[in-house]
Amino acid sequence: GCDYQLNIGKTTTKYKDNYYVTVDLLCPSGKDVEIHKYVGMNNELEPECKYTIKEQKGLKGAKVTNETDAGGKTTGTFTLETGPENIAASKSGMCGAEDTKVGKLDVNITFKGTDKDGKANNIEITDS
C-alpha cells in the first residue's frame, strides 16, 4: 500500500544534465513496507528475520540524468541511475532487534515520454 514519490531537485555541480533526487516513501495510515529474510533461499517456511520500513520523506542519494545523443542533444528520455540511501528500518528475529539506517534502494529506471496515441513525446528535465 506504500508508494515512492521522486522529487527532482537542482543539477549536480559536476554534470549539468544530472539532477539530485530525493525520495519520499508514502504509506497510508497503518501501513508500512515489510521485507522478510528466510533461512534458506528456497524455504519460506523458516523466517530468519523481518525488516519493517515506515513512511519517510527526503531520502537522499538518488540521481537522474537526461540522456543525450553524440551531439549533446537530449534523446527525450531520462534515467534514474541510483536509489536513495540511509533508509531507516526496524529489524527483528535472528538478525537482531534494533533500528538501522543502512538500507539502500537499488534502482535503474528509464523514462520515455509518449502521447495518448503511443507516439514519441520527448521529455527532458530542466532547471526552469
Side-chain angles (χ1 to χ4, degrees):
C2 299
D3 289 312
Y4 292 98
Q5 176 177 300
L6 306 176
N7 307 293
I8 299 172
K10 301 270 185 206
T11 59
T12 64
T13 54
K14 190 171 183 181
Y15 302 104
K16 68 177 181 121
D17 280 336
N18 291 345
Y19 293 81
Y20 292 113
V21 176
T22 58
V23 178
D24 297 340
L25 174 63
L26 305 172
C27 299
S29 180
K31 299 285 184 179
D32 50 35
V33 174
E34 286 186 1
I35 300 172
H36 297 261
K37 184 177 176 186
Y38 296 93
V39 174
M41 225 163 85
N42 298 319
N43 183 355
E44 292 188 8
L45 298 175
E46 295 181 50
E48 183 177 8
C49 60
K50 175 176 79 169
Y51 291 84
T52 303
I53 305 169
K54 299 197 176 296
E55 180 174 282
Q56 13 196 327
K57 296 179 181 177
L59 296 167
K60 295 179 181 177
K63 179 183 72 171
V64 67
T65 305
N66 284 319
E67 292 185 10
T68 55
D69 62 18
K73 185 176 181 201
T74 182
T75 62
T77 61
F78 60 93
T79 304
L80 178 65
E81 297 175 345
T82 58
E85 299 176 357
N86 298 317
I87 299 171
S90 298
K91 55 184 186 171
S92 59
M94 292 171 49
C95 292
E98 63 182 359
D99 292 335
T100 180
K101 285 194 89 167
V102 297
K104 180 178 179 181
L105 179 64
D106 290 318
V107 294
N108 192 338
I109 303 170
T110 299
F111 300 87
K112 294 184 178 191
T114 58
D115 63 17
K116 63 182 173 76
D117 298 320
K119 294 182 180 157
N121 182 11
N122 284 350
I123 54 177
E124 179 180 11
I125 302 168
T126 65
D127 284 338
S128 52

